[in-house]
Amino acid sequence: MVSVTELLNDPAINAYILRMIGEEGIELLRRFPEEGEHSDEELAEMTGVNLNTVRHTLYTLYEQRLAEYRRLKNSETGWLTYLWHLRLDRLHDVLEEQVRDVLEHLDARLAYEEKNDFYMCRNCSVIYTFTDAANWNFECPNCEEMLEHFDNELIAAALRKRIDRIKESLGSA
């Protein structure tokens, strides 16, 4: 299993986690006990990280399936205690899933770019599909200037290049 320190030493992973939980969240990860389950209050006390930051970080990690908890109910008071542990061993799977989601969106955008013909109003800088432009007799609905054909090949080429790079990084090119 990879340690928190090893993960955070990877610049790409560090940037990803930093964006997700911020500097204080990363500090919590650095100080998080390697063994056992701990309540949010215990973690705040053990790590010196603010309790609200601990809670925010744990819930954010939980949403990404990178932390789990076990809930205990005090039979006398009825209070619930959540005992947390990290699941950073799932990080690469979570990242791959997110990259695949991005790839799916890029594929859909490329299909849209390839399927449509576009027209642009040079005055308003608004781009319309052929269908919309034809409905307006190729006049801008905002300023009534004539719409000009817009060549989207640079956009499509950039999308293809990015899609190919992502597929290559996933090993599915």
Side-chain angles (χ1 to χ4, degrees), residues 50-66:
N50 174 291
L51 180 59
N52 285 338
T53 300
V54 169
R55 288 178 175 158
H56 175 75
T57 300
L58 291 172
Y59 288 121
T60 301
L61 292 171
Y62 175 77
E63 288 171 357
Q64 297 296 321
R65 300 183 334 266
L66 298 173

Side-chain angles (χ1 to χ4, degrees), residues 39-54:
S39 72
D40 49 2
E41 289 97 355
E42 289 173 339
L43 287 167
E45 188 177 313
M46 294 165 72
T47 62
V49 175
N50 174 291
L51 180 59
N52 285 338
T53 300
V54 169

Side-chain angles (χ1 to χ4, degrees), residues 65-97:
R65 300 183 334 266
L66 298 173
E68 292 179 340
Y69 64 83
R70 187 168 55 94
R71 190 170 58 192
L72 298 177
K73 186 174 184 176
N74 184 315
S75 57
E76 293 176 18
T77 64
W79 284 80
L80 294 174
T81 300
Y82 294 84
L83 299 177
W84 293 88
H85 64 278
L86 296 178
R87 289 301 313 263
L88 296 178
D89 57 306
R90 296 179 178 164
L91 182 62
H92 292 288
D93 292 334
V94 169
L95 284 170
E96 183 175 336
E97 185 179 313

Side-chain angles (χ1 to χ4, degrees), residues 99 102-103 106 162-171:
V99 169
V102 167
L103 182 60
L106 290 173
R162 175 158 271 170
I163 288 168
D164 288 345
R165 287 177 59 204
I166 290 172
K167 285 181 177 178
E168 186 179 311
S169 75
L170 291 171

